[in-house]
Amino acid sequence: MEKQVLLDHGSGGRATHELIQKVFAPLLGNPYLEAMNDSAVMDLPGQRLALTTDSYVVDPLIFPGGDIGSLAVHGTINDLAMSGARPLYLTAGFILEEGLEVALLESIVRSMAEAAREAGVAVVAGDTKVVPRGKADKLFINTAGVGIVPAGVSVGGEKAQPGDAVLINGTIGDHGTAVLCTREGLSMEGDIRSDSAPLHTLTSALLEACPRVHVLRDPTRGGVATTLNEIARQSRVGIRLFEEALPIRPDVAGACEILGLDPLYMANEGKVLVVLPREDAEKALTLMRRHALGREAALIGEVIAEDPGRVVLKTRIGGHRIVDMLRGEPLPRIC
Amino acid sequence: MALKYIDEFRDGQLARRLLTQLKKRCRDLEPMRFMEICGTHTVAIFRSGLRPLFPPTVELVSGPGCPVCVTAGEDIDKAVWFASQPGVVTATFGDLLRVPGSRTSLAQERARGADVRMVYSATDAVELARQNPDRQVVFIGIGFETTAPTVAAAIVMADRLGLENFSVFSIHKVLPPAMEALLSSGDLHLDGFLCPGHVSTIIGAKAYEDVVRRYGMPCVVTGFEPLDILQGLLMLVEQHASRDARVEIQYRRGVTWEGNTAAQELMARVFRPADAVWRGLGFIAGSGLVLRDDWARFDAAKRFSVPSLGVREDPACRCGDVLRGALRPTSCPLFRKVCTPQNPKGPCMVSSEGTCGAYFKYHHDGPDPDVEEKY
């Protein structure tokens, strides 16, 4: 491993895993952490508690479809939702750079409050630190969240089984592409917006109707490709994706095409990958499509016994290729 | 910007029909060996899963068409040197950031505090110079004829703005001389070139006339969608079978015979051809682009006194052979064992257009999934 932390170590892909494996896991490791799920689930007397934390460092702070405030609420709610939990309380920590406009801070906190209210969670504790100009980039937010996991719910990245279907609740790569285009001032035709949204009502409805759901995972940094690789490794199964079935907005596909990027690796903030027995797939799809956040839900792949630890894509023209985990930040090409 | 009508060129049914046609045409022919020059083709072929579908008699080898990959070790080291100079902002395209020089990469220098910026176009670097009047902005100009006109435009723009703190370190290269260099080495036994679509939109199909005239080598300028590639291959097979080598354009929706003359003129106004060293191919006369004397004030190689750097290329790295099409990445002893995208030993593993990176990422016997790995 490198002697210094590189930006790649924060990409959510291979390098991030390496950093966790080499630095954090050996020193902080315990069974909860080693489960490598979006939240830790702890058995307390009479309750199962889910606990998670996430930091938000997005540039720009405001982007089409959201801002760092709503994102900090949705992201942590979603991490709880992915363990099957009903989110209850959040905490929020702010690191502010000297010189930040108070009006900007206010608008972001207002958006946070709105997002929390809409999602039915309360921000119950907070912290603020200010660092000298140049020691942080405007504003960083950390949120932590707790929730309750209903009895009988048991989902996890290690539970995928051959024969399962892989579903997603809508289009792939919207958030990452929207943020990239805004940050770099690339004006693309169309209306590419972040999909940032709280998924807990969708997941709890799904778990109620289809209690045999094996895995719920939100494909954030590293995108659908990286998240499915994590599931394939944790469950020691192969995953086969169908290119034809992947829901991708034409403007997102176009922007990625021009930049030489792959929507499968672009971040999502309002998407959930659902792995469940094939025979429950239709029921789950019907239910998801009735929910506001699942109108374009699709069956995108299947879990297979071959190729354990790998994700394979069956292409439109009938060929196949490997879909690897993200290695390093996706970089546009030169020609 | 808009991009429509892409799916039409990825139609599964049409692709299968073309594949059948290709197989039928190849049935009674001896094995053929074609080179896709351009890294974008290499990646497109993998991404669409075409490779396993080709007839067994058609072999496609990847060529030197990846700008980052063919950049000589010394030029990479020089780019990194700029980043270590006080008061300098180094700007370049993302692909170059992770390429290892003898000692470090631009990404590693950035982690150590150097001001290295990834930009999407050379004009973004001009903008950086405008915003930072007290600092020198050096743009590392890399890329083939597709990119060079945009860098020329940025230099003209910097001139118009009267910027004193913008310069370009040009390691641009042009493709046709490299194709001739490959053929003159004589050990590749190629039967034709799948010529790059993007580069050809600028230089025009006429740029390959010499390759055909001097070496009798079929050339088909081809687009990057699965149907383009299949049709391009079919045209190559046809030329080869009928022993009628010429320049043909498959990619008619993008490429003309003359190319983009405005871009050619702009390029010629700012740059002049120069000799250049290519990784893997060595010295090739007239294959590089440097700033003309009347633009010398924007030439970073002249504004700074760049020391000559002792280059240490890993002697075990076989990128050079991969770039010549003489070695398949999977046959390199370093491939996947010590050389991975995470810890690249050579540039072909780093660039998103690099042959080794493409094999690592997409080839079915590709990445080691480390099923036992715990993270």
Side-chain angles (χ1 to χ4, degrees):
Chain A
M1 193 173 139
E2 284 84 359
K3 291 207 167 51
Q4 278 159 323
V5 172
L6 304 181
L7 277 175
D8 282 352
H9 288 115
S11 65
R14 261 272 182 165
T16 308
H17 283 213
E18 195 186 42
L19 188 70
I20 293 171
Q21 205 180 333
K22 297 270 165 70
V23 178
F24 296 114
L27 297 171
L28 296 173
N30 59 57
Y32 299 109
L33 205 54
E34 279 153 21
M36 290 301 292
N37 284 320
D38 290 313
S39 299
V41 176
M42 285 148 292
D43 282 309
L44 298 183
Q47 289 286 24
R48 282 167 74 218
L49 193 70
L51 175 62
T52 191
T53 184
D54 212 331
S55 299
Y56 299 85
V57 294
V58 63
D59 171 31
L61 296 176
I62 300 170
F63 44 83
D67 57 52
I68 190 171
S70 53
L71 189 65
V73 170
H74 295 155
T76 296
I77 286 177
N78 291 347
D79 279 347
L80 291 170
M82 295 308 127
S83 63
R86 189 160 58 84
L88 292 175
Y89 304 107
L90 300 184
T91 69
F94 296 86
I95 296 174
L96 313 177
E97 185 189 11
E98 175 190 20
L100 179 76
E101 298 286 337
V102 172
L104 176 62
L105 178 63
E106 215 168 25
S107 79
I108 283 165
V109 176
R110 184 170 301 123
S111 147
M112 235 177 143
E114 252 164 56
R117 197 166 40 244
E118 276 169 24
V121 298
V123 178
V124 294
D127 175 55
T128 307
K129 297 282 185 293
V130 179
V131 297
R133 197 184 280 272
K135 303 285 178 192
D137 187 9
K138 297 191 258 316
L139 165 62
F140 299 153
I141 303 179
N142 171 278
T143 51
V146 287
I148 300 292
V149 183
V153 168
S154 165
V155 291
E158 74 290 351
K159 293 191 163 66
Q161 286 171 22
D164 283 355
V166 180
L167 318 180
I168 192 161
N169 61 316
T171 52
I172 291 168
D174 300 359
H175 174 77
T177 312
V179 169
L180 181 74
C181 290
T182 314
R183 181 172 61 220
E184 305 302 340
L186 308 170
S187 51
M188 299 281 176
E189 214 170 81
D191 178 31
I192 307 177
R193 301 169 68 78
S194 167
D195 58 349
S196 180
L199 293 163
H200 61 300
T201 59
L202 177 68
T203 52
S204 63
L206 189 64
L207 286 168
E208 212 163 288
C210 308
R212 291 195 295 171
V213 167
H214 290 148
V215 187
L216 294 172
R217 210 22 93 84
D218 53 342
T220 54
R221 281 178 314 172
V224 168
T226 303
T227 303
L228 288 178
N229 267 283
E230 289 167 0
I231 296 170
R233 286 164 195 220
Q234 276 182 280
S235 298
R236 299 176 189 208
V237 294
I239 293 176
R240 185 187 290 134
L241 286 178
F242 311 116
E243 186 175 41
E244 235 155 359
L246 297 175
I248 299 171
R249 289 171 56 101
D251 48 11
V252 169
C256 286
E257 194 75 40
I258 287 165
L259 295 168
L261 300 173
D262 186 340
L264 280 172
Y265 292 91
M266 304 305 281
N268 308 272
E269 292 293 346
K271 292 294 152 14
V272 54
L273 288 161
V274 182
V275 180
L276 81 178
R278 181 72 184 83
E279 52 275 25
D280 294 351
E282 281 314 314
K283 189 176 173 191
L285 280 174
T286 310
L287 181 141
M288 285 159 87
R289 284 175 186 150
R290 255 189 254 130
H291 192 282
L293 297 175
R295 300 251 181 271
E296 291 170 272
L299 191 158
I300 60 168
E302 60 190 0
V303 179
I304 53 178
E306 310 92 79
D307 286 318
R310 279 184 175 163
V311 180
V312 184
L313 178 83
K314 189 157 181 290
T315 64
R316 246 188 220 106
I317 57 162
H320 56 264
R321 67 163 162 102
I322 288 276
V323 177
D324 193 12
M325 194 174 260
L326 176 68
R327 294 165 189 271
E329 205 61 51
L331 300 176
R333 66 169 166 227
I334 317 171
C335 192
Chain B
M1 279 189 265
L3 197 74
K4 286 174 186 157
Y5 314 118
I6 270 294
D7 286 347
E8 284 84 337
F9 296 95
R10 293 176 181 169
D11 184 280
Q13 220 175 346
L14 279 174
R16 278 187 288 277
R17 214 177 296 159
L18 269 173
L19 266 169
T20 314
Q21 223 176 320
L22 184 64
K23 277 181 185 145
K24 209 194 273 169
R25 190 66 190 87
C26 292
R27 196 171 293 148
D28 302 314
L29 299 176
E30 293 290 308
M32 288 156 281
R33 196 158 193 256
F34 303 123
M35 175 177 276
E36 91 269 6
I37 298 161
C38 178
T40 313
H41 271 142
T42 309
V43 171
I45 290 165
F46 271 118
R47 277 189 62 177
S48 57
L50 270 177
R51 200 170 277 276
L53 304 177
F54 289 147
T57 47
V58 172
E59 187 192 357
L60 254 186
V61 293
S62 309
C66 156
V68 168
C69 307
V70 295
T71 301
E74 184 171 9
D75 289 336
I76 302 280
D77 282 352
K78 283 181 180 166
V80 175
W81 178 86
F82 282 110
S84 68
Q85 296 310 295
V88 168
V89 180
T90 311
T92 192
F93 298 127
D95 242 11
L96 195 63
L97 290 177
R98 279 195 287 257
V99 177
S102 301
R103 290 163 198 89
T104 71
S105 66
L106 286 170
Q108 283 165 331
E109 287 301 312
R110 184 171 64 182
R112 280 184 203 153
D115 195 345
V116 178
R117 313 278 182 98
M118 181 179 95
V119 293
Y120 286 79
S121 79
T123 47
D124 292 351
V126 173
E127 184 55 29
L128 266 178
R130 224 175 47 79
Q131 287 166 1
N132 297 275
D134 51 336
R135 311 191 54 194
Q136 284 290 329
V137 173
V138 176
F139 178 73
I140 311 294
I142 182 168
F144 296 120
E145 296 94 326
T146 340
T147 316
T150 65
V151 176
I155 291 171
V156 171
M157 184 176 162
D159 180 47
R160 207 173 297 144
L161 291 169
L163 290 179
E164 306 269 322
N165 63 329
F166 175 80
S167 59
V168 172
F169 178 58
S170 173
I171 43 181
H172 287 290
K173 294 188 171 51
V174 290
L175 268 178
M179 292 163 69
E180 293 203 39
L182 273 175
L183 292 171
S184 64
S185 73
D187 60 347
L188 282 178
H189 312 293
L190 291 178
D191 297 304
F193 281 122
L194 206 62
C195 296
H198 295 150
V199 165
S200 309
T201 55
I202 305 293
I203 61 177
K206 64 169 190 225
Y208 308 104
E209 260 184 322
D210 283 351
V211 172
V212 173
R213 205 181 56 235
R214 292 192 193 137
Y215 299 90
M217 190 59 55
C219 286
V220 176
V221 178
T222 304
F224 296 97
E225 297 306 324
L227 293 187
D228 291 322
I229 293 166
L230 285 171
Q231 199 184 17
L233 270 179
L234 196 57
M235 289 160 84
L236 274 177
V237 170
E238 201 57 61
Q239 280 195 36
H240 175 69
S242 58
R243 302 195 185 285
D244 174 25
R246 55 209 155 88
V247 183
E248 278 187 289
I249 307 173
Q250 179 280 330
Y251 192 39
R252 293 205 167 270
R253 63 187 189 280
V255 176
T256 61
W257 186 256
E258 293 298 328
N260 182 336
T261 48
Q264 290 166 18
E265 280 158 22
L266 183 61
M267 205 162 36
R269 202 174 127 205
V270 176
F271 294 111
R272 65 174 171 81
D275 301 340
V277 176
W278 294 51
R279 192 186 294 254
L281 307 180
F283 174 90
I284 304 174
S287 67
L289 292 174
V290 296
L291 274 71
R292 286 189 179 281
D293 288 342
D294 32 337
W295 298 93
R297 62 193 183 286
F298 295 105
D299 192 342
K302 292 192 173 135
R303 180 171 298 188
F304 295 83
S305 35
V306 189
S308 94
L309 304 157
V311 180
R312 291 178 305 184
E313 273 178 37
D314 190 333
C317 171
R318 304 275 306 270
C319 277
D321 292 328
V322 171
L323 289 166
R324 287 192 308 121
L327 182 78
R328 226 170 243 290
T330 44
S331 307
C332 172
L334 301 187
F335 183 76
R336 212 187 312 146
K337 296 190 183 78
V338 285
C339 183
T340 63
Q342 210 60 18
N343 185 16
K345 297 290 170 201
C348 298
M349 187 56 95
V350 186
S351 170
S352 57
E353 306 268 289
T355 309
C356 297
Y359 267 80
F360 192 100
K361 203 165 159 199
Y362 300 122
H363 191 49
H364 199 244
D365 301 323
D368 183 352
D370 300 337
V371 177
E372 297 305 318
E373 176 183 84
K374 254 176 99 182
Y375 36 75

